[in-house]
Amino acid sequence: IILFQGLILDLRNNPGGLLTSAVDISSLFVPTNSDIVSARGRGFPGILYRSRATPILSPNTKLIVLTNSNTASAAEIVSGAVQDSDAGVIIGAGRTFGKGLVQNVEELPFDTALKFTVAKYYTPSGRCIQSTNYKEGGGLKETDGKYIAEKVKVQQTFYTQNGREVKDGGGIEADFIVDAEKASALEVTLLRAGVFSDFAAEWSKNNVLTDQFSVSESTYKDFVNFAMQKQKNKDIQLEAIYTPSLDRLSKILTESGYKRTEKELKTIQTSIMKEIENDFYKYRKDIKEDISQNILARYLPDSMLIERGVKSDPQVQAAIKLIRSDGKYDKLLARDTEAAKAKLRRGDDLGTSTLNTARGGAPEKGDIKLKLNW
């Protein structure tokens, strides 16, 4: 058992992977004999995965799992298992992606295959991970083969090991809401166009990285000039994010014969470019950080870049603050009750009883082999 104050598991932008890996990782954190995930479907043999390992963390070690809307698939299984067993706190800006389908692949003639859904995944409390329901079409004609995708709207209430209310509706909802940093439209455009990496390459040709490196005002002015020159040469379009909407409006105005309004639209386009130029100074701090990261990426390993990046990451900092707090972590997990405290004193980390999975007779062995593709 590892003894330290806290552990942060970052599953943000994690698209998932193997189901077996998700079960193995979950087993490191949830109590022994805890349910991890189950799968149920029409004409599908129910299956339940359960932890048989001893958790690696001390009951007094605080576990934080970071998620976002791009946390999907197997990563959601880990998040759901931790949340439903009250083994840790989920921090994020909202819900995870909501991909919880079990799919088979059947080989067909002529080097083709058919991929079809056979079941859905459920967290230990019984919540379905899937956020989108599909209604099938059917018929002999190709046009009849359409389907309808609908977001899950009705939310049911379920309960964690400690009796906390959690709701389904797709994905895993964060226990503690912390907004991530939002990039400006200019920053997004520069990132997509590769301007930061291009500038870093040019900077490296004429400069030497020192221990006291930082993006000076002189370097920042060089970057702005570099970006504007690319705009002038039409290598990039800083206004690209607005162009599709403006083009559609221009087409409608032309078709309607509104010539005077068309001229005003050109004035708006010029005004937008001026606003974008002002954004270089409005978002100077964030853009400087991007420049710095791209320059350092040419010299430092990823591990050092990540370590540097988390210092300004609001969700990581919130997780650290929560770990260091006296009672807030336990309160979020409903561990501040006398019964929960007694369990912690016994060292069984909130007990080893099985959660109510509503699995309807699913087998309790986790070694059933099925032809599943995650």
Side-chain angles (χ1 to χ4, degrees):
I1 293 179
I2 301 174
L3 298 171
F4 43 76
Q5 189 175 6
L7 174 68
I8 300 173
L9 180 62
D10 192 350
L11 296 181
R12 294 174 298 179
N13 301 312
N14 189 319
L18 296 174
L19 169 62
T20 51
S21 297
V23 172
D24 290 342
I25 291 171
S26 299
S27 296
L28 298 176
F29 304 115
V30 302
T32 307
N33 293 326
S34 292
D35 294 356
I36 292 175
V37 65
S38 60
R40 305 196 302 273
R42 184 177 58 189
F44 179 84
I47 181 171
L48 168 67
Y49 288 90
R50 177 175 289 166
S51 171
R52 301 299 184 189
T54 300
I56 62 171
L57 298 181
S58 159
N60 296 317
T61 299
K62 297 174 181 177
L63 173 64
I64 307 288
V65 180
L66 302 181
T67 63
N68 63 9
S69 58
N70 293 321
T71 301
S73 192
E76 292 178 288
I77 289 178
V78 177
S79 305
V82 168
Q83 187 178 58
D84 284 358
S85 63
D86 292 309
V89 171
I90 311 297
I91 288 183
R95 285 186 172 272
T96 56
F97 186 84
K99 183 182 184 299
L101 298 179
V102 184
Q103 294 175 316
N104 279 0
V105 177
E106 199 67 41
E107 294 183 3
L108 297 175
F110 308 108
D111 294 325
T112 60
L114 174 66
K115 188 176 184 180
F116 57 98
T117 300
V118 295
K120 293 179 180 179
Y121 283 110
Y122 295 83
T123 70
S125 64
R127 291 178 293 163
C128 183
I129 295 174
Q130 182 65 15
S131 63
T132 305
N133 289 327
Y134 299 95
K135 292 184 178 180
E136 74 282 1
L140 298 176
K141 297 180 181 179
E142 184 179 352
T143 54
D144 296 331
K146 297 178 181 179
Y147 65 89
I148 300 172
E150 294 180 341
K151 285 287 183 183
V152 177
K153 296 178 181 179
V154 179
Q155 290 189 331
Q156 293 179 298
T157 301
F158 296 82
Y159 298 91
T160 68
Q161 182 78 52
N162 285 350
R164 296 187 299 132
E165 284 191 6
V166 286
K167 294 183 182 294
D168 64 358
I172 306 300
E173 189 171 14
D175 300 312
F176 189 53
I177 302 296
V178 179
D179 291 330
E181 282 187 316
K182 293 181 180 179
S184 63
L186 173 60
E187 193 178 355
V188 171
T189 303
L190 292 171
L191 283 166
R192 288 177 177 173
V195 179
F196 292 115
S197 57
D198 290 345
F199 178 78
E202 290 298 317
W203 185 93
S204 300
K205 292 177 184 178
N206 306 308
N207 296 273
V208 177
L209 187 71
T210 64
D211 293 338
Q212 304 300 321
F213 168 76
S214 65
V215 178
S216 64
E217 284 302 310
S218 175
T219 301
Y220 188 69
K221 287 179 181 178
D222 290 342
F223 173 78
V224 174
N225 292 334
F226 180 81
M228 294 310 296
Q229 187 61 46
K230 277 184 167 288
Q231 173 76 11
K232 186 177 180 181
N233 295 341
K234 296 185 178 179
D235 294 331
I236 61 171
Q237 277 189 307
L238 295 177
E239 74 282 12
I241 197 169
Y242 308 105
T243 301
S245 299
L246 291 172
D247 286 346
R248 284 195 298 272
L249 180 57
S250 178
K251 183 180 178 180
I252 293 170
L253 292 173
T254 300
E255 291 174 353
S256 301
Y258 296 158
K259 294 183 179 180
R260 184 184 300 175
T261 309
E262 251 192 290
K263 291 179 181 178
E264 291 178 2
L265 183 60
K266 290 180 180 178
T267 304
I268 292 174
Q269 290 173 317
T270 304
S271 179
I272 287 173
M273 274 309 303
K274 288 181 180 178
E275 292 283 356
I276 289 172
E277 290 176 24
N278 291 334
D279 283 349
F280 275 104
Y281 299 96
K282 182 178 179 181
Y283 301 105
R284 179 198 307 256
K285 181 182 176 181
D286 295 335
I287 295 174
K288 270 190 172 185
E289 179 61 25
D290 289 323
I291 296 169
S292 181
Q293 283 288 93
N294 277 267
I295 290 175
L296 290 174
R298 303 182 68 84
Y299 302 93
L300 303 179
D302 289 343
S303 58
M304 293 183 70
L305 291 172
I306 292 171
E307 185 178 351
R308 183 177 182 275
V310 297
K311 293 178 180 177
S312 59
D313 188 319
Q315 292 180 328
V316 172
Q317 293 306 310
I320 293 172
K321 188 176 179 181
L322 185 59
I323 288 171
R324 290 174 176 169
S325 67
D326 291 330
K328 193 170 185 179
Y329 179 86
D330 288 340
K331 189 174 182 180
L332 283 169
L333 293 177
R335 286 185 179 180
D336 52 349
T337 64
E338 287 303 318
K341 289 177 182 177
K343 288 181 181 180
L344 281 175
R345 284 196 294 271
R346 290 199 302 269
D348 61 0
D349 195 11
L350 305 183
T352 59
S353 60
T354 304
L355 302 184
N356 176 20
T357 61
R359 56 185 178 273
E364 294 189 356
K365 293 182 180 180
D367 57 353
I368 296 175
K369 293 182 179 180
L370 296 172
K371 185 181 178 184
L372 304 179
N373 279 353
W374 183 262

